[in-house]
Amino acid sequence: QKEVEQNSGPLSVPEGAIASLNCTYSDRGSQSFFWYRQYSGKSPELIMSIYSNGDKEDGRFTAQLNKASQYVSLLIRDSQPSDSATYLCAVSGGSNYQLIWGAGTKLIIKP
Amino acid sequence: DAGVTQSPTHLIKTRGQHVTLRCSPISGHKSVSWYQQVLGQGPQFIFQYYEKEERGRGNFPDRFSARQFPNYSSELNVNALLLGDSALYLCASSLQGDSNQPQHFGDGTRLSIL
């Protein structure tokens, strides 16, 4: 069964520091990788998508992909209290049309 | 531009009843996916529709059904409601029907079963 694993947390990071969120996946055929942010009681919001090995930067966010290790990460620089949320990793399902979702990592930024 | 819209936002039902949830995708998006999310878990895939055809179905009982209309809006129907159906139901749209496209979510429908 195809799986996406995330540490459930909570991950506590001081304000202004770098938050590092990690995700591993089981399907070597996966081609597309997405990070979503979900505030409590709200719906997921797309933050980043990454399709190639290496780093992709967007503002304070950097996604990193290593297909050989089946590992994708999200770095948040200069963390702000407003970054406190659950971060969901989603991975394309290889041969089918589904996204496979992790359970999310709860991030807490402490002022 | 309007994002994904879902209705209703909240719904309270009792066991045994049925419910219809509605979703309008982002303009130009042809694919709609439905998810169920309970507290502390990631979204669980229920259905995907693309161009009015069912593209995928998750591990949910036959009490769950859906359809997509010519204008690409979609309905999720749940019959014979159980207490365990209480959850946030999310609709997401994407341009095409493959999983390499990013999905954009509506605000969800929070369903409570009494």
Side-chain angles (χ1 to χ4, degrees), chain A residues 3-49:
Chain A
E3 295 182 341
V4 173
E5 300 285 344
Q6 295 182 257
N7 189 321
S8 62
L11 175 65
S12 184
V13 173
E15 183 176 358
I18 296 175
S20 178
L21 304 160
N22 304 315
C23 172
T24 59
Y25 60 95
S26 64
D27 186 356
R28 287 195 170 273
S30 296
Q31 299 179 32
S32 304
F33 308 85
F34 306 96
W35 282 101
Y36 286 80
R37 177 177 61 199
Q38 187 173 26
Y39 292 115
S40 181
K42 301 296 185 182
S43 63
E45 173 191 9
L46 180 68
I47 300 175
M48 296 278 290
S49 56

Side-chain angles (χ1 to χ4, degrees), chain A residues 30-32 34 36 38 40-46 49 51 88 91-94 96-99 101-104, chain B residues 35 37 40-45 48 55-58 88 90 97-108 110:
Chain A
S30 296
Q31 299 179 32
S32 304
F34 306 96
Y36 286 80
Q38 187 173 26
S40 181
K42 301 296 185 182
S43 63
E45 173 191 9
L46 180 68
S49 56
Y51 303 95
L88 296 162
V91 174
S92 67
N96 62 30
Y97 304 101
Q98 296 181 30
L99 282 179
W101 292 81
Chain B
Y35 294 90
Q37 189 178 28
Q41 295 184 20
Q44 299 297 309
F45 174 74
Q48 188 199 35
R55 275 288 184 88
R57 172 187 285 256
L88 178 66
L90 295 163
D98 66 272
S99 61
N100 296 309
Q101 302 269 330
Q103 295 184 3
H104 302 271
F105 285 86
D107 289 338
R110 186 160 299 280

